[in-house]
């Protein structure tokens, strides 16, 4: 992220987890079950909420595409190893 901000890297596709320290509004995409359905999540991100989030990203000096991809709404993941030792 620091290389993008410095101009050393032109394009970087990142998850909201990485971007949220710079643009807190993007963290909503990381909230499991924030949207009632997948379609509801896309309506929000394609509507006023998405416009607000994109504006916040641009205020941070970054360029954001008008449409974005996703890693899935309504997902909760963990980096914790649950295997028995």
């Amino acid at each position: 992220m620091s290389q993008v901000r410095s101009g050393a890297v032109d394009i970087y596709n990142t998850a909201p987890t990485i971007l949220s320290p710079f643009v807190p509004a993007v963290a909503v995409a990381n909230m499991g079950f924030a949207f009632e359905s997948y379609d509801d999540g896309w309506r929000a991100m394609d509507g006023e909420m998405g416009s607000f989030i994109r504006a916040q990203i641009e205020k941070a000096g970054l360029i954001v595409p008008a449409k974005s991809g996703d890693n899935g709404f309504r997902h909760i993941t963990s980096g914790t190893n649950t295997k028995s030792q």
Side-chain angles (χ1 to χ4, degrees):
M1 198 65 211
S2 62
Q3 289 184 355
V4 172
R5 295 180 78 198
S6 73
V9 173
D10 291 329
I11 297 173
Y12 178 59
N13 184 12
T14 187
T17 307
I18 304 299
L19 190 55
S20 62
F22 305 99
V23 185
V26 302
V28 70
N30 287 336
M31 296 173 55
F33 302 96
F35 305 106
E36 209 165 298
S37 69
Y38 199 80
D39 290 337
D40 189 40
W42 276 118
R43 274 190 294 277
M45 293 307 205
D46 288 341
E48 288 183 35
M49 181 174 21
S51 294
F52 172 78
I53 292 170
R54 285 187 294 279
Q56 298 304 302
I57 294 169
E58 289 173 358
K59 283 182 183 178
L62 301 170
I63 297 170
V64 62
K67 298 281 185 178
S68 63
D70 70 277
N71 290 328
F73 295 115
R74 301 177 61 95
H75 286 73
I76 298 173
T77 59
S78 172
T80 303
N81 185 350
T82 58
K83 293 181 181 180
S84 299
Q85 298 291 332

